[in-house]
Amino acid sequence: MSRLRIFHDNAPHTPLRVLHEHAAISAELDAIGVEFKQWRPVHPVVPGDPADAILAAYRSDIDRLVAARGFKSVDVVSIAPDNPDKATLRAKFLDEHAHKEDEVRFFVAGSGLFDLHVDGKVYEVLCEMGDLISVPDGATHWFDMGPEPSFVAIRFFTEPDGWVGHFTGSDIAQEFPRYE
């Protein structure tokens, strides 16, 4: 079940609010410019499945979002717990960073944890199968896939280098709970 926990950015162990209902999560995130929707993943996939098979399975959903938002590039992140590079992949985006375009992910299997740092608060979003999240360009955040990652996410980009993280140098991400 998806979840949103909201913290003061100086109190990483005491959530101010905890939400589990998609409509409530969506409304809370909408107030900070983050889109959060529930789509129905109708084609079963498992972490580790090849990207081309996942893209083919979700072609109509992908085409619909590309047409609506003008994305020029789509890829798949499919990571299973037996991935030999899982520790390196996990560490890649554990520090606070931003992107120069929206970060859009549709989780078609598994889960991951987005933390957004906005106006003195941290919004911890547990994204699970069926969740579509769009983090606006310039929003500082970090992403944790956990020590045993198991997820498949379709990512959408406008520019080829849109996924490049611009790190803030802050250590705030180390203060907050990890996805364990």
Side-chain angles (χ1 to χ4, degrees), residues 2-7 17 19 21-38 114-119 121-127 131-136 139 141:
S2 304
R3 180 191 71 213
L4 171 63
R5 296 194 307 173
I6 304 170
F7 301 85
R17 293 182 72 193
L19 303 170
E21 296 179 7
H22 274 92
I25 294 170
S26 180
E28 193 74 42
L29 292 175
D30 188 56
I32 61 167
V34 175
E35 181 181 3
F36 185 78
K37 294 185 177 196
Q38 179 69 27
F114 270 97
D115 285 86
L116 302 114
H117 187 199
V118 180
D119 295 331
K121 292 184 180 152
V122 171
Y123 297 76
E124 177 194 82
V125 186
L126 175 60
C127 293
D131 291 338
L132 174 78
I133 189 167
S134 178
V135 177
H141 64 282

Side-chain angles (χ1 to χ4, degrees), residues 2-69:
S2 304
R3 180 191 71 213
L4 171 63
R5 296 194 307 173
I6 304 170
F7 301 85
H8 279 297
D9 63 4
N10 61 0
H13 301 292
T14 310
L16 300 168
R17 293 182 72 193
V18 179
L19 303 170
H20 294 281
E21 296 179 7
H22 274 92
I25 294 170
S26 180
E28 193 74 42
L29 292 175
D30 188 56
I32 61 167
V34 175
E35 181 181 3
F36 185 78
K37 294 185 177 196
Q38 179 69 27
W39 283 6
R40 195 169 139 235
V42 294
H43 306 284
V45 298
V46 295
D49 279 353
D52 53 347
I54 294 164
L55 291 171
Y58 285 93
R59 179 56 50 203
S60 63
D61 292 311
I62 292 167
D63 291 347
R64 185 175 66 247
L65 194 55
V66 165
R69 304 260 311 254

Side-chain angles (χ1 to χ4, degrees), residues 36-117:
F36 185 78
K37 294 185 177 196
Q38 179 69 27
W39 283 6
R40 195 169 139 235
V42 294
H43 306 284
V45 298
V46 295
D49 279 353
D52 53 347
I54 294 164
L55 291 171
Y58 285 93
R59 179 56 50 203
S60 63
D61 292 311
I62 292 167
D63 291 347
R64 185 175 66 247
L65 194 55
V66 165
R69 304 260 311 254
F71 294 115
K72 297 178 184 164
S73 178
V74 178
D75 74 3
V76 171
V77 178
S78 180
I79 302 175
D82 63 352
N83 186 306
D85 297 323
K86 65 185 177 187
T88 302
L89 293 168
R90 181 184 191 197
K92 190 173 183 178
F93 291 107
L94 278 178
D95 291 325
E96 186 182 55
H97 63 280
H99 301 280
K100 70 176 190 175
E101 67 177 66
D102 295 357
E103 181 171 357
V104 181
R105 290 187 184 191
F106 174 36
F107 285 81
V108 295
S111 59
L113 191 68
F114 270 97
D115 285 86
L116 302 114
H117 187 199

